[in-house]
Amino acid sequence: MRSYAIGDIHGQLVRLEAAHALIAADRARVGDNAAPVVHLGDYVDRGPNCRGVLEHLVQGLAAGAPWILLRGNHDRFMQYFLRPGCPPEPARPDLDWLLPSVGGRETLTSYGVETGMHPDRAALHAAAVRAVPDSHKALLDSLLPFHRRGEVFFCHAGIRPGVPLEDQVEDDLIWIRGEFLDDPRDHGVLVVHGHTPVDRVTHYGNRVDLDTGAGYGGPVSAVVIEGREVFLLTPEGRVPVTPRAGR
């Protein structure tokens, strides 16, 4: 059973297009046009073309691409900001989407909304609602919390160890770190996730991290997974991603 997956994107449209090109080349080599491409979320914030990324995804789905789009925490920040009253992100009400560390201002700028040109938050919210196309809002609302395919469980951040997969909650699936990252046990599936940046796609035995830091200028990484075997896609072809020693 073959699946493709793409890690965190953060407004890096050119790098996302390059990742899709690597997948297209691998499809051609193996003769498989049907295997799904699972996108692990965090399409927006920090990067230069968040609007372009969402439009690329909208257009691809409309054209019938076999894409599965998961929700990341940054996507939910945007989703909630666009709702009436722009409520805070439920799991992190202490964080404002517009903080420099979060990256919402870059997202709004990509839609032509100058965040410093509005007298108050209500006016900025109204401008954002006008600027973001309905198709982009609908995309944000349609994102999935996880996807399971065979022996692989895809989610943005990880799972709560010890909790059955069917009982996982979205707050954990898009936000969890330490409790999941530090747990070496076998989860019954290979968990493929992003959210926590690493220098390169890394296999820890029970999980694989695909977030290679696009939100901080790093690449957008794409892999192909067959059973539990993982291969990084490069211009030169597949490179095996083997479990780190000691995990």
Side-chain angles (χ1 to χ4, degrees), residues 37 50 52 54 80 87 98 139 163 172 176 191 195 200 203 215 226:
V37 181
C50 300
L54 292 187
Y80 270 74
L98 302 179
L139 181 74
V163 175
D172 285 334
I176 199 167
V191 181
H195 184 57
R200 62 185 63 83
H203 197 318
E226 295 173 343

Side-chain angles (χ1 to χ4, degrees), residues 5-7 192-193 196-204 207-213 219-225 230-233 239-244:
I6 294 176
V192 176
H193 67 95
T196 299
V198 288
D199 291 337
R200 62 185 63 83
V201 171
T202 305
H203 197 318
Y204 296 88
R207 63 182 180 88
V208 180
D209 190 340
L210 302 190
D211 181 359
T212 45
V220 172
S221 292
V223 300
V224 59
I225 305 167
V230 182
F231 303 88
L232 178 68
L233 297 181
V239 175
V241 182
T242 55
R244 292 196 334 174

Side-chain angles (χ1 to χ4, degrees), residues 130-213:
R130 290 192 301 268
V132 177
D134 289 342
S135 60
H136 294 197
K137 297 170 190 168
L139 181 74
L140 291 171
D141 289 339
S142 72
L143 300 176
L144 301 174
F146 66 88
H147 178 70
R148 181 171 182 178
R149 182 169 165 81
E151 300 179 72
V152 185
F153 186 90
F154 301 91
C155 57
H156 175 64
I159 64 171
R160 176 73 56 180
V163 175
L165 295 177
E166 62 271 17
D167 294 332
Q168 297 288 327
V169 299
E170 185 170 280
D171 284 358
D172 285 334
L173 292 167
I174 69 173
W175 274 108
I176 199 167
R177 278 205 168 104
E179 303 95 322
F180 167 66
L181 302 177
D182 297 335
D183 195 308
R185 81 183 82 175
D186 189 308
H187 303 298
V189 290
L190 180 65
V191 181
V192 176
H193 67 95
H195 184 57
T196 299
V198 288
D199 291 337
R200 62 185 63 83
V201 171
T202 305
H203 197 318
Y204 296 88
N206 60 350
R207 63 182 180 88
V208 180
D209 190 340
L210 302 190
D211 181 359
T212 45

Side-chain angles (χ1 to χ4, degrees), residues 45 74-90 95-99 104-105 107-108 113 115 120-129 132 137 140:
D45 295 351
H74 285 268
D75 311 314
R76 200 167 78 171
F77 265 119
M78 181 179 180
Q79 179 188 29
Y80 270 74
F81 185 87
L82 294 173
R83 290 181 175 179
C86 49
E89 152 58 36
L95 281 181
D96 188 330
W97 186 50
L98 302 179
L99 286 171
R105 291 181 185 273
T107 297
L108 291 179
V113 178
T115 57
D120 54 33
R121 194 177 185 88
L124 178 58
H125 169 259
V129 170
V132 177
K137 297 170 190 168
L140 291 171

